[in-house]
């Protein structure tokens, strides 16, 4: 029987699975909402994709803080138990990593065809690199040099407090504060965050609009048929630029800052034309410092699996 490593990238909305033997198998997408638990989703995948294959190990990227063998997801009701997976499927060992930890490991494997530069800047070879990305939540991590090679610093930077940069943003954040209490970066810079921005802008401007999902907001903004949607996407991109600049300063990310996640790549040229890069650099006395740091959007469709394979290789070693 062929032995394999089960790889998974599990977010708040979608869970993606693949088997790694001497090569990476097909990646299958499952909707989190359709399964009571991660164990049920794993069972469904293995029944469909693994006849004649035994998963002897698992490397799972999860959209939550990883502080042991039990992980509670931030944006879904799922709880993942490494011991439960070992017992249920005969897996010898289970490695849990934060989802953006996996994306950060993938930075070493990306080629020029996998990224779309935004703005200028020149990477310092071997310099720290940072990645952040809005999806169901907002992930942040960094790849930094170490004496034995690069190491990844996973973070929960998506839950740091959101800072308003303009008076209009301050008014929007005030609306969000009344709704949520603490306003984290993720409350505005994520799929649900885009929806919250849309509602808050309408409230501040005194406009009655229907509640819209993030995909619809992005589509209508691109079509130019909804001014509130257009303003929401514009503010989303600007705020993301401010947070990306903060992350660059925190990690001295002279090797570059990369934007991942499911939202930004779909914005295409509109993202490049947004205030993202200007706000990335708008850090007062450190504007020139940030102007030298390149930024890019990751366009590789399965970037987390590049990182999962890197983690699996380190575990095997």
């Amino acid at each position: 029987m062929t032995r394999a490593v089960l790889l998974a990238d599990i977010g708040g909305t979608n869970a993606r699975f693949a088997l790694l033997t001497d090569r990476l198998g097909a990646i299958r997408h499952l909707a989190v909402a359709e399964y009571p638990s991660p164990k049920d989703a794993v069972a469904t995948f293995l029944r469909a994709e693994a006849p004649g294959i035994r998963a002897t190990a698992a490397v799972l990227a999860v959209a939550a803080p990883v502080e042991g063998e039990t992980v509670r997801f931030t944006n879904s009701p799922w709880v993942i138990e490494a011991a439960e997976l070992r017992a249920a499927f005969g897996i010898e060992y289970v490695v849990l990593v934060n989802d953006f930890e996996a994306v950060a490991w993938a930075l070493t494997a990306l080629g020029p065809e996998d990224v779309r530069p935004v703005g200028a800047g020149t990477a310092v070879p071997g310099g720290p690199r940072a990645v952040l990305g809005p999806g169901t939540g907002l992930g942040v991590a960094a790849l930094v040099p170490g004496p034995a090679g690069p190491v990844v610093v996973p973070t929960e930077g998506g839950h740091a407090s959101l800072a308003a940069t303009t008076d209009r943003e301050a008014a929007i954040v005030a609306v969000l504060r009344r709704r949520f209490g603490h306003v984290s970066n993720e409350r505005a810079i994520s799929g649900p965050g885009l929806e919250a921005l849309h509602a808050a802008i309408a409230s501040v401007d005194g406009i009655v609009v229907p509640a819209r999902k993030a995909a619809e907001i992005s589509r209508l903004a691109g079509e130019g048929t909804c001014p509130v949607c257009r303003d929401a996407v514009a503010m989303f991109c600007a705020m993301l630029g401010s947070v990306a600049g903060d992350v660059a300063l925190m990690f001295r990310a002279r090797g570059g800052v990369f934007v991942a996640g499911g939202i930004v790549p779909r914005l295409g040229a509109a993202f490049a034309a947004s205030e993202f890069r200007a706000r990335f650099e708008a850090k007062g006395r450190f504007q020139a410092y940030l102007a030298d740091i390149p930024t890019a959007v990751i366009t590789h469709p399965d970037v987390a699996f590049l990182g999962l394979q890197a983690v699996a290789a380190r575990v095997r070693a």
Side-chain angles (χ1 to χ4, degrees):
M1 179 173 285
T2 302
R3 295 164 65 90
V5 179
L6 172 67
L7 304 182
D9 176 25
I10 306 174
T13 304
N14 296 299
R16 300 186 299 156
F17 298 93
L19 290 170
L20 177 65
T21 53
D22 56 341
R23 61 181 182 83
L24 183 66
I27 298 170
R28 183 171 180 186
H29 296 235
L30 301 178
V32 167
E34 294 180 5
Y35 297 89
S37 72
K39 184 180 74 171
D40 297 297
V42 170
T44 297
F45 170 76
L46 291 178
R47 279 197 304 269
E49 304 292 333
I53 298 176
R54 182 189 170 208
T56 57
V59 181
L60 312 179
V62 296
V66 177
E67 305 291 348
E69 289 207 325
T70 299
V71 173
R72 297 182 181 276
F73 284 75
T74 305
N75 292 304
S76 91
W78 275 11
V79 178
I80 194 163
E81 302 261 8
E84 180 183 46
L85 297 180
R86 287 195 296 266
F89 304 108
I91 296 173
E92 295 170 10
Y93 62 88
V94 175
V95 177
L96 303 177
V97 298
N98 175 263
D99 57 343
F100 265 73
E101 184 175 354
V103 176
W105 279 117
L107 295 178
T108 61
L110 294 177
E113 71 280 4
D114 298 319
V115 298
R116 184 170 64 237
V118 180
T122 302
V124 173
R129 285 170 275 182
V131 61
L132 71 167
T136 305
L138 176 65
V140 182
L143 182 80
V144 300
V151 296
V152 167
V153 181
T155 82
E156 288 300 321
H159 300 285
S161 298
L162 177 66
T165 301
T166 67
D167 290 343
R168 181 162 173 79
E169 285 185 1
I172 298 302
V173 170
V175 172
L176 297 179
R177 188 177 300 114
R178 290 194 292 271
R179 177 178 175 185
F180 297 112
H182 176 246
V183 181
S184 66
N185 293 326
E186 181 174 290
R187 288 298 193 188
I189 310 169
S190 64
L194 181 57
E195 296 164 11
L197 284 177
H198 175 266
I201 288 169
S203 175
V204 168
D205 291 346
I207 301 172
V208 177
V209 295
R212 301 188 190 278
K213 294 296 185 182
E216 184 183 17
I217 294 168
S218 297
R219 177 178 62 80
L220 294 176
E223 294 173 356
T225 56
C226 173
V228 176
C229 295
R230 179 199 61 213
D231 289 355
V233 170
M235 187 171 290
F236 174 96
C237 295
M239 286 178 164
L240 178 59
S242 290
V243 173
D246 291 342
V247 170
L249 291 172
M250 290 173 191
F251 289 105
R252 296 172 60 200
R254 304 301 296 274
V257 175
F258 299 82
V259 179
I263 297 174
V264 171
R266 292 198 293 266
L267 296 178
F271 185 73
S274 75
E275 289 189 47
F276 169 83
R277 181 68 197 194
R279 289 283 289 271
F280 175 83
E281 296 181 13
K283 299 297 180 185
R285 292 174 294 170
F286 269 69
Q287 181 160 358
Y289 182 92
L290 286 158
D292 288 339
I293 296 177
T295 53
V297 176
I298 296 174
T299 57
H300 191 291
D302 300 306
V303 62
F305 283 86
L306 296 179
L308 287 167
Q309 291 177 81
V311 175
R314 292 169 67 86
V315 171
R316 284 171 165 177

